[in-house]
Amino acid sequence: MPELPEVETIRRDLLPALRGRSFTHAWVSPEAPRLVQAPSAADFARLLAGRRVEDISRRGKYLVFHLSGALYLVVHLRMTGALLHRPSDAPPDRYVRAILSLDDGSELRFSDLRKFGAFWLVAELSEVLGRLGPEPLDSGLTPSLLRDLTARRRAPVKSLLLDQRALAGIGNIYADEALFAAGLHPLRPASGLSDAEVERLHDAIRRVLLAALEDRGASFSDYVDASGREGRHQFRVRVFRRTGKPCYTCGREIERVKVAGRSTHFCPQCQPL
Ligand SMILES: [Zn+2]
């Protein structure tokens, strides 16, 4: 699933290409009845047409298109969604569930094999984004705020990192990588971390996300950017999906456990319980 670095890469690609452009037409596949969460698919197409893109922002794993007339198009890519910006005469893409046409003749194509992706067209962003926790790369996320977030949770620290209401934008890849970078076992109870460990985690989250952004995200399975290209961070991970391979730091085999139903990768030596 695309996480903060992947969604942010798409945002940075799309912003210069789409700012100032207007949507002229929207087509949503009848085979993707759950794609448009609000309003109805017919109202979605009617309300989108003629709206200019004024800005594109990101909140957690959500992309937010700020449209003229005080409406927001919010997109969540979920498992396999991709937003591809193509000339209208470009060859068809696979699994296209929606095509949003623009006034310069280009198209924003939403490709989604698994069909979990979601669009909302809303006047109030809080309707969609209201329950998200702080942004991990914002200066507002200080070590002391992270201390407050961890102090209230006896759940494993890995679960805390995955909880979008605690921190927005981190998923399975970057949770595992941040815990390795911080030297913390994923099953440690969040509330049991010392102040020094919370500071290490704070620093690790930032370093891991910024490194992945530099690599334009990680393409372990389906992720591609707005041009259809893969990211490079899958070649630079330290533990994610490296079960049985030697730790780059100490040589011990990377292990895998389930935490909160998710495969979790860690080094038992560098991340003692
Ligand atoms: Zn190790």
Side-chain angles (χ1 to χ4, degrees):
M1 180 192 279
E3 305 178 26
L4 186 156
E6 289 77 30
V7 179
E8 179 64 17
T9 298
I10 294 170
R11 185 192 75 80
R12 292 177 183 182
D13 283 358
L14 289 180
L15 182 57
L18 266 61
R19 179 146 50 188
R21 299 268 62 85
S22 295
F23 290 110
T24 54
H25 183 257
W27 170 83
V28 178
S29 167
E31 287 167 36
R34 287 185 304 278
L35 173 57
V36 178
Q37 299 276 313
S40 69
D43 282 347
F44 175 84
R46 185 176 57 77
L47 284 167
L48 192 69
R51 305 257 175 196
R52 191 175 61 251
V53 178
E54 294 179 338
D55 197 6
I56 306 175
S57 60
R58 180 193 53 74
R59 185 75 175 90
K61 303 176 195 172
Y62 295 81
L63 268 181
V64 180
F65 295 76
H66 302 240
L67 305 176
S68 55
L71 267 192
Y72 301 94
L73 167 62
V74 184
V75 175
H76 198 301
L77 304 170
R78 304 272 195 228
M79 304 282 292
T80 58
L83 270 179
L84 303 165
H85 187 225
R86 306 284 202 203
S88 57
D89 58 357
D93 288 289
R94 299 175 78 192
Y95 315 117
V96 169
R97 314 301 183 192
I99 299 176
L100 312 182
S101 306
L102 291 142
D103 62 356
D104 62 353
S106 67
E107 293 176 346
L108 202 52
R109 300 176 182 175
F110 185 68
S111 159
D112 190 12
L113 168 65
R114 300 281 298 277
K115 296 203 271 193
F116 291 118
F119 288 3
W120 295 260
L121 195 56
V122 291
E124 274 299 327
L125 274 182
S126 61
E127 282 177 36
V128 184
L129 310 177
R131 299 178 73 192
L132 292 176
E135 285 289 322
L137 291 179
D138 270 9
S139 54
L141 182 71
T142 57
S144 82
L145 176 55
L146 187 60
R147 163 87 283 176
D148 292 346
L149 292 170
T150 57
R152 289 188 255 126
R153 313 264 184 147
R154 265 174 300 175
V157 60
K158 166 82 187 253
S159 306
L160 173 86
L161 294 181
L162 292 178
D163 182 352
Q164 301 301 297
R165 288 168 296 180
L167 278 180
I170 298 174
N172 214 27
I173 301 171
Y174 301 109
D176 285 5
E177 291 298 306
L179 289 171
F180 176 81
L184 296 173
H185 194 288
L187 288 170
R188 291 275 308 277
S191 56
L193 301 183
S194 69
D195 287 351
E197 286 172 329
V198 170
E199 279 205 29
R200 250 158 53 206
L201 180 59
H202 177 266
D203 180 58
I205 289 169
R206 292 186 57 84
R207 276 188 292 124
V208 160
L209 292 175
L210 289 171
L213 256 174
E214 215 168 89
D215 287 337
R216 300 183 54 81
S219 295
F220 282 97
S221 44
D222 301 273
Y223 167 71
V224 290
D225 66 19
S227 307
R229 291 171 305 208
E230 296 192 339
R232 300 183 301 270
H233 198 66
Q234 65 277 20
F235 304 119
R236 282 224 280 165
V237 291
R238 316 285 293 191
V239 288
F240 186 74
R241 293 203 185 162
R242 296 194 65 247
T243 311
K245 298 195 174 125
C247 171
Y248 293 124
T249 303
C250 73
R252 276 279 292 273
E253 280 189 10
I254 301 301
E255 292 182 9
R256 182 175 61 191
V257 288
K258 284 262 185 199
V259 183
R262 310 293 302 276
S263 281
T264 295
H265 313 78
F266 69 100
C267 170
Q269 183 143 314
C270 297
Q271 298 166 267
L273 189 58

